[in-house]
Amino acid sequence: MSLTILNAVIAVVIAIAFAALNAAYLVWAERRGAGRIQRRPGPNVNGPLGLLQPPADGLKLMTKQLIIPGGADKALFMVAPVLAMAPAIMSFVTIPFSENIVARSMNIGVLMIFAFASLGAMSILLAGWGSRNKYGVMAAVRAVSQNISYEIPMLITVITIVMMTGTMDLKELVAGQSGGIWNWNLVPSLSSPLMPVAFLIFFICTLAETNRAPFDLGEAESELVAGFHTEYGSMGFGLFFMGEYANIVIGASLITILFLGGWGCPLGLFPGVWWFLLKIYLLIFSFIWIRWTFPRTTIYGLLNLSWKILIPISLFNLLFTAGLLKVF
Amino acid sequence: MSGPIHIQPGETFILNVGPQHPATHGVLRVKMEMDGEYIVKAETVLGYIHRMHELMGENRTYPQVLPNLSRLDYLGALGYTHGHVLAVERASGIEVPERAEYIRVITVELNRVASHLFWFGAFVMDLGGFTPLMYAIEDREYILDMLEAVTGSRLTYCYYRFGGLYNDIDDEFIDRARAFIPRMRKSLKKYDALVTGNIIFRKRLEGIGPISAEMCRKYGATGPVARGSGINFDVRKNEPYSVYPEFDFDVPVYDECDSLARYYVRMEEMEQSLRIIEQGLDKLPEGPIMPKKKPKLIKPPVGDYYQAVETARGSFGIRIVSDGTKNAYRFKLRSPTYSNMSLFDEACEGMMIMDALALMGSLDLVIPEIDR
Amino acid sequence: MGAYFSEIFRGLQSLAIGLGITFKEFFKPVVTVPYPYETIKMSERFRGHIELIENEDGTPKCVACGMCQRACPSGCISLASKSVKYEVEVKGEMKTKKKKVLTTYDLNFTTCSLCGQCVESCNFDAITFSKEYNLASDRKEDFHFDLLNRLEERNS
Ligand code: SF4
Ligand code: SF4
């Protein structure tokens, strides 16, 4: 019994370390990537290639005073950043990085990740509301309506996949796709010809769920100053920031597991954790790339996209696939 | 300041946008009465950067006012100084050599391109896309380097003198300007593909922020704002000044009245400016850049003088009332952005905040020019 | 229905074009200058703050006529002079003449608008623009330049 508790503690510690390290260096990668896209070097002063920038930023954030604005709801204000980070870390526990590297393998892994992901909207709502800032409240309301409307097509797509594979266990989902690129869920097969469309929908929804540009309405800096974290400084802001990047890693992992064959090699050779990491970092690069290319959507444009385009198409995909499954 | 905010359906709240807000590009303040995301009423509040340029124009001698004019609009400063020197030259009857006028037109048009480029970048940044700004700045830097080499400064130029120029352009400038034209045309194509065609961008602007021609007339809006509402008015064509009649260029006019129309007008104006620069470089006459005889002390005869020019933001007018002394009796500046901004209050009523800020971006506001 | 799908398709296409452009830019070299480590040489006509010009013997060319002071729109030049007697040979005779010698030439750079009126108004070519632009300080006094002092420092 005590051994399992110890195991769990170690797993959580590793998950936190992984999440924090990833978050810190993704910020670096984002800034370097944005720099390259915009023909400038990005952070390059601290350490070789600016690699010491994240620790420096972290130190700066930690040493700053946490200011709680007058009139803010103290409890909610303090809880919100923690709530942004904690579910992200918990989700890491269930993600299988390879056959053996998984903290806690569960047969309802997919469900658990989505359950934790919905908590993210909660933290934004609490942050906006608790900081007693008009911009914050407006951003919070936006973010919640955004998260709700994008969870639907996302889940419908997942249901399609679960229906096809008959499992909610992340490990089994990957195992079902092993053997090479032609087995991946992304590739259309006779029984699931619309899979690329499903992938696209899931990809867009991931962007929206993680509040990434072009769907970063919650922190639209040219309209709502900084949105829900307008009033946050020091590590409160730091936690939001880390939470955002941790969520991106989870989103990328989920796409990899659901569509891109997890730790499997495209040619079926040497499956292993490196393939998994390569895939998620490529996906994250595409997130960065998209962020620095497009302008932001409007709130109604965003909702239109979800309700008029993504949901009908994903529903159609669900029914179509169900029909095909019946036939074959 | 205690207790929670109550936002209830049907109840409005006041949102204070500015004076320090990322979308207002300076110290403009807009008091918005909001119903959720919708604006019920907006009120622009000015005066945060008022520097009394008009009064300074009355207290200083004519040449001493020269540097002031470039502090109005720091993005398209040459257009404003051009208006000033033309007004004083008209008042005191100074002849300007042709070469000087050509160089003025070339530099003004270069400055217009630089100003529009920066607007383009800032506008897309208002809409949430950061990268086009960097590309635009890269091209703008090229112009600024070029202008710096002849005028000595990058932003607040003081290049024109009554009667001519501070110093002549050299071959290097001409070569660089010639090289710039194809480069800029290529960049414009890139912007078209990256921004104009982008579906998100179009969805945000098409049909958003209508400003009717009537409203433009009511508030005296000029420049690209009026031309985006179907009013064909460009001082360069309607009241020709300087050597503009000798150039062949078009005035882009769009009837759509929306933010996208204003965007198109400016993007096409850049192309037209390039045409003017091209022709100017070809036709550039040889000769002096300062008149042979020029009064030592500028003392325009008693009278009331007005000169309008087309700057990057619209029609800029300058009125000088002279009482025959070395200081102007009245020095009045009519700045285009002031009128263009005035219509914001009325135009944004009932809009969502993000559309209203897109509309504000499409007006191309430069706050120091509004406040003067 | 057709319009619905064609709009989606065209939208996706436009997004792909945009991504293509930024992808190409990603591999182009950077265009910025890492400023404090590398600086740009200012162009010949760059107008920095003003600087006195010296004669061959190291004394300032300025004859303290005060034209620049009067021309300056911002009133940021203040100069003082004293008259000194000196002897010259005119047609074989020794004569004592008076001339003005500059004793202070202060520039209050905080209000200078870098317009160049002073340089233009000087009939003796006694002042010019410096190429200095790395000027930063948190004290106002650091921008009250004593130009005579600077000239001496340059010479020594
Ligand atoms: S540059 Fe202009 S403001 Fe500066 S000292 Fe000379 S005249 Fe005065
Ligand atoms: S710098 Fe020139 S204008 Fe000024 S006092 Fe000296 S000689 Fe006269």
Side-chain angles (χ1 to χ4, degrees), chain A residues 34 36-40 70-71 129 132-135 137-139 142 213-214 216-217 220-226 291-300, chain B residues 1-5 7 13-17 21-23 34 36-37 125-131 134-135 138 194 198 200-201 204 208 352-355 357:
Chain A
R36 292 300 315 194
I37 286 177
Q38 299 170 351
R39 316 274 307 269
R40 56 189 175 85
W129 183 258
R132 199 177 178 278
N133 178 307
K134 288 170 190 167
Y135 291 115
V137 175
M138 284 170 76
R142 276 184 186 186
D216 55 344
L217 290 159
E221 77 278 347
S222 58
E223 296 144 23
L224 301 180
V225 189
R291 170 165 179 188
W292 297 103
T293 305
F294 299 137
R296 189 182 304 117
T297 53
T298 49
I299 182 75
Y300 52 83
Chain B
M1 287 292 279
S2 66
I5 328 165
I7 302 174
F13 64 100
I14 302 284
L15 188 69
N16 195 22
V17 180
H21 186 280
M34 308 283 298
E37 290 251 350
M125 198 168 76
D126 278 352
L127 304 176
F130 186 41
T131 303
M134 288 303 182
Y135 297 161
E138 197 193 317
L194 178 63
N198 188 301
I200 302 174
F201 180 79
R204 285 206 62 173
I208 303 292
M352 278 184 137
I353 181 166
M354 48 193 354
D355 290 338
L357 292 177

Side-chain angles (χ1 to χ4, degrees), chain B residues 67, chain C residues 48 50 68 71-77 107 111-119 129:
Chain C
I50 52 171
C68 51
C72 175
S74 322
C76 45
I77 300 174
L107 170 69
T111 55
C112 172
S113 52
L114 293 172
C115 62
Q117 303 274 340
C118 46
V119 175
F129 301 110

Side-chain angles (χ1 to χ4, degrees), chain A residues 152-153 156-157 160 201 309-319:
Chain A
I152 300 168
I156 294 175
T157 318
T160 318
I201 292 176
I309 297 178
L310 298 184
I311 293 182
I313 293 182
S314 59
L315 264 178
F316 174 76
N317 185 20
L318 177 69
L319 295 177

Side-chain angles (χ1 to χ4, degrees), chain B residues 60 63-68 71 131 135 138 148-154 156-159 161 166-170 189-190 193-194 197-200 203 290, chain C residues 7 10-12 14-15 17-19 21-22 25-26 28 31 42-48 69-74 112-117 119-120 123 129:
Chain B
R60 295 174 167 190
Q64 283 183 338
V65 192
L66 275 171
N68 281 49
R71 266 75 180 173
T131 303
Y135 297 161
E138 197 193 317
E148 187 200 328
V150 290
T151 66
S153 44
R154 299 176 73 81
T156 49
Y157 311 100
C158 185
Y159 181 45
R161 296 288 182 268
Y166 172 50
N167 47 28
D168 202 352
I169 57 174
D170 44 15
K189 280 213 191 78
K190 180 166 90 182
L194 178 63
N198 188 301
I199 177 101
I200 302 174
K203 284 262 173 231
M290 276 303 233
Chain C
E7 187 178 355
R10 262 188 286 123
L12 284 174
S14 74
L15 297 183
I17 292 172
L19 284 174
I21 288 171
T22 39
E25 298 285 329
F26 189 87
K28 287 189 188 164
V31 288
M42 280 296 123
S43 62
E44 204 118 297
R45 289 178 183 172
F46 178 75
R47 298 208 306 259
Q69 195 177 7
R70 254 170 281 142
C72 175
S74 322
C112 172
S113 52
L114 293 172
C115 62
Q117 303 274 340
V119 175
E120 258 174 273
N123 294 327
F129 301 110

Side-chain angles (χ1 to χ4, degrees), chain B residues 28 59 63 99 106 110 131 145 182 219 225 274 285 343 356 367-368:
Chain B
L28 175 69
N59 291 342
R99 182 177 171 87
I106 292 170
L110 276 174
T131 303
D145 281 345
Y219 288 99
V225 177
L274 290 181
L343 54 75
I367 315 301

